[in-house]
Amino acid sequence: MIVETGKRGADKKIEAEIVDFKPDCVVAAGGDGTVNLVGKLLINSHIALGIIPLGSSNAVAKNLNIPLSIPESLHNLIHFHTKEIDTLNINDNICLHLCDLGFNANLIKRAHKSKFRGMFTYGISLFQELFTFEFFKYKVVTQTEELESKAFAITITNMQLYGNRAAINPKGKVDDGKFEICIFKPFPKLAMIKMFYQLFRHTIHYSKYSIFIRAKEATLYNQGKESVHIDGEPVNLKREINIKIVPKSLKVVVPE
């Protein structure tokens, strides 16, 4: 059974087909939006998520080392080796990849307003955002620590990579029962050149402008009422953002 995900009500239709057919695997053929839509329907079930990456970013596939070519991704599905990964619950929203506050969330919001898609659009949006962005106030509370300050950006994730392979969370693991809150402190604009280099060299955790907090549960107070994105989609959250790890809650077909 094939369901086109671009139409309204696609999630309900997929859910109904899952109930009727009781499959061992549901394959998402598309970009991260399609993967997230299907994956969220399979949380805490025995049904595996298969991925054929057809998007421009394919961030989830890259984080799970799923081949990006169609023949190789089909080969991966045929071998059907599965892995249980953790997901995040953020104010009752399911998060498979990451949640952004601040600069990157604003960047995505700006890029989505454009008629065009792709890295060129994000590059233009990046340049525009650099000259208008302001640092924002936040507070993080976990079971072991409390931190309050200003930030350039905050990313909540248990994965490592953005879709462009920049490593926002180099030590993240998808199955260790914890997530990371990656905080980027205010910095001079010239420091961004080095930080971009560190992101793509997977060494951003060594930057003096970065803070990484590992936790199973945390509360983040968005005191600046910054834009928030979960898995690339804008969401309206309260100033109090409650985050919990949901261990081994999604089965995914991955390479051995």
Side-chain angles (χ1 to χ4, degrees):
M1 180 67 186
I2 298 175
V3 178
E4 187 176 342
T5 58
K7 296 181 179 179
R8 179 178 293 182
D11 54 341
K12 299 296 182 184
K13 189 169 183 179
I14 295 170
E15 200 168 20
E17 297 295 345
I18 289 172
V19 172
D20 288 343
F21 284 90
K22 298 179 175 58
D24 294 320
C25 178
V26 178
V27 178
D32 287 319
T34 302
V35 171
N36 293 330
L37 183 149
V38 176
K40 290 172 183 178
L41 298 175
L42 305 179
I43 297 292
N44 291 322
S45 77
H46 70 281
I47 304 169
L49 169 66
I51 299 175
I52 300 176
L54 300 176
S56 58
S57 177
N58 301 312
V60 175
K62 289 172 183 174
N63 274 281
L64 297 175
N65 295 315
I66 293 171
L68 299 184
S69 76
I70 294 176
E72 289 181 358
S73 61
L74 289 172
H75 184 75
N76 176 57
L77 291 173
I78 291 169
H79 278 262
F80 203 70
H81 174 76
T82 63
K83 178 177 184 175
E84 292 181 330
I85 68 170
D86 305 334
T87 59
L88 296 175
N89 182 303
I90 302 176
N91 281 16
D92 295 325
N93 293 277
I94 296 169
C95 176
L96 303 187
H97 181 213
L98 56 78
C99 172
D100 272 320
L101 288 82
F103 181 81
N104 196 55
N106 289 359
L107 172 61
I108 294 172
K109 184 178 180 180
R110 185 186 290 271
H112 279 191
K113 290 180 180 179
S114 172
K115 296 179 181 179
F116 306 100
R117 291 290 181 267
M119 290 301 173
F120 178 76
T121 300
Y122 278 95
I124 296 296
S125 300
L126 172 64
F127 183 78
Q128 293 171 332
E129 191 64 29
L130 281 174
F131 289 95
T132 59
F133 183 77
E134 296 181 358
F135 302 122
F136 63 95
K137 293 181 180 180
Y138 73 90
K139 180 179 179 181
V140 174
V141 179
T142 71
Q143 292 179 322
T144 58
E145 59 187 303
E146 184 174 316
L147 179 64
E148 185 171 8
S149 189
K150 286 187 176 183
F152 169 76
I154 297 176
T155 298
I156 304 159
T157 184
N158 66 334
M159 292 190 175
Q160 294 186 4
L161 306 175
Y162 279 130
N164 58 8
R165 295 193 185 276
I168 189 69
N169 182 28
K171 293 190 175 182
K173 293 183 178 180
V174 296
D175 58 356
D176 66 349
K178 292 185 179 181
F179 61 87
E180 285 74 36
I181 302 175
C182 316
I183 302 169
F184 294 92
K185 299 184 287 185
F187 54 83
K189 284 186 170 64
L190 286 177
M192 180 167 279
I193 298 172
K194 182 177 180 180
M195 292 178 72
F196 270 121
Y197 175 80
Q198 290 174 314
L199 281 168
F200 284 97
R201 294 291 295 175
H202 297 196
T203 58
I204 192 63
H205 52 301
Y206 294 123
S207 171
K208 64 181 179 180
Y209 299 111
S210 66
I211 301 171
F212 290 82
I213 299 173
R214 301 186 75 233
K216 294 181 179 180
E217 294 185 23
T219 300
L220 171 63
Y221 296 93
N222 182 11
Q223 297 175 335
K225 297 183 180 179
E226 289 300 303
S227 297
V228 181
H229 278 242
I230 294 179
D231 291 337
E233 296 297 327
V235 290
N236 292 317
L237 299 182
K238 298 177 182 178
R239 292 181 67 178
E240 181 178 315
I241 302 173
N242 296 300
I243 312 136
K244 294 181 181 180
I245 197 77
V246 188
K248 300 188 185 302
S249 50
L250 180 62
K251 185 186 291 186
V252 187
V253 183
V254 298
E256 292 189 55

